[in-house]
């Protein structure tokens, strides 16, 4: 009985969940945060696919184990994918909080507003020169 419990624990791989808070987080800018979010989304998709395959494998081993009981030792009961998906979801929430604190995804309004104000101030000079140019052709008409 102890041997079968030990062998069942060896089936599959051990979970390796990602840490929610990592030492390099304080150095991340918005680009790095968004890149990690995309990478984590891809990992979650892969783990979900692996989970489906592992479930199918466990079902097949369970059914085949009715005929050849030794196949039951090949079943995976560690829940590796579930553990890693949960850890990645927690990391994603933390990254979303970091992105919110750093105002990622929002355009800064104050720097663009002064630049917009300075441009209209520069335009009145060409407008003032335009009437003077328009006055010259009118004086040229009477002399024609």
């Amino acid at each position: 009985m102890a041997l079968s419990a030990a062998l069942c624990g060896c089936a599959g791989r051990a979970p390796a969940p990602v840490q929610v808070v990592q030492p390099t987080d304080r150095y991340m800018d918005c680009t790095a945060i968004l890149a990690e979010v995309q990478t984590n989304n891809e990992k979650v998709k892969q783990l979900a696919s692996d989970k489906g395959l592992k479930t199918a494998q466990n079902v097949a081993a369970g059914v085949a184990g009715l005929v050849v009981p030794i196949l039951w030792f090949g079943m995976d009961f560690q829940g590796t994918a579930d553990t890693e998906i949960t850890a990645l979801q927690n990391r994603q929430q933390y990254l979303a909080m970091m992105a919110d604190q750093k105002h990622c995804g929002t355009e800064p309004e104050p720097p663009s507003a002064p630049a917009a104000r300075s441009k209209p101030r520069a335009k009145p000079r060409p407008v003032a020169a335009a009437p003077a140019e328009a006055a010259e052709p009118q004086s040229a008409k009477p002399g024609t």
Side-chain angles (χ1 to χ4, degrees), residues 125-136:
R125 289 181 188 161
V127 173
E133 294 172 3
E136 290 178 30

Side-chain angles (χ1 to χ4, degrees), residues 28-143:
M28 293 177 75
D29 60 356
C30 291
T31 305
I33 292 171
L34 296 176
E36 184 170 345
V37 166
Q38 290 177 345
T39 301
N40 289 347
N41 285 338
E42 292 300 318
K43 286 181 186 177
V44 167
K45 288 179 187 176
Q46 181 63 40
L47 287 170
S49 175
D50 291 349
K51 179 182 172 184
L53 292 173
K54 188 55 74 175
T55 301
Q57 180 184 0
N58 282 346
V59 168
V63 171
L66 294 173
V67 178
V68 183
I70 194 79
L71 293 177
W72 286 332
F73 295 117
M75 295 177 69
D76 184 9
F77 296 109
Q78 293 186 15
T80 300
D82 289 330
T83 303
E84 291 178 357
I85 287 172
T86 301
L88 282 169
Q89 288 171 341
N90 291 337
R91 174 76 176 152
Q92 294 289 71
Q93 290 175 350
Y94 179 75
L95 290 172
M97 182 188 68
M98 279 181 51
D100 188 46
Q101 288 175 349
K102 294 184 181 220
H103 304 291
C104 297
T106 59
E107 292 184 24
E109 290 297 325
S112 63
R117 288 185 206 146
S118 65
K119 287 182 182 178
R121 290 180 189 163
K123 286 185 180 179
R125 289 181 188 161
V127 173
E133 294 172 3
E136 290 178 30
Q138 289 175 352
S139 63
K141 286 182 182 178

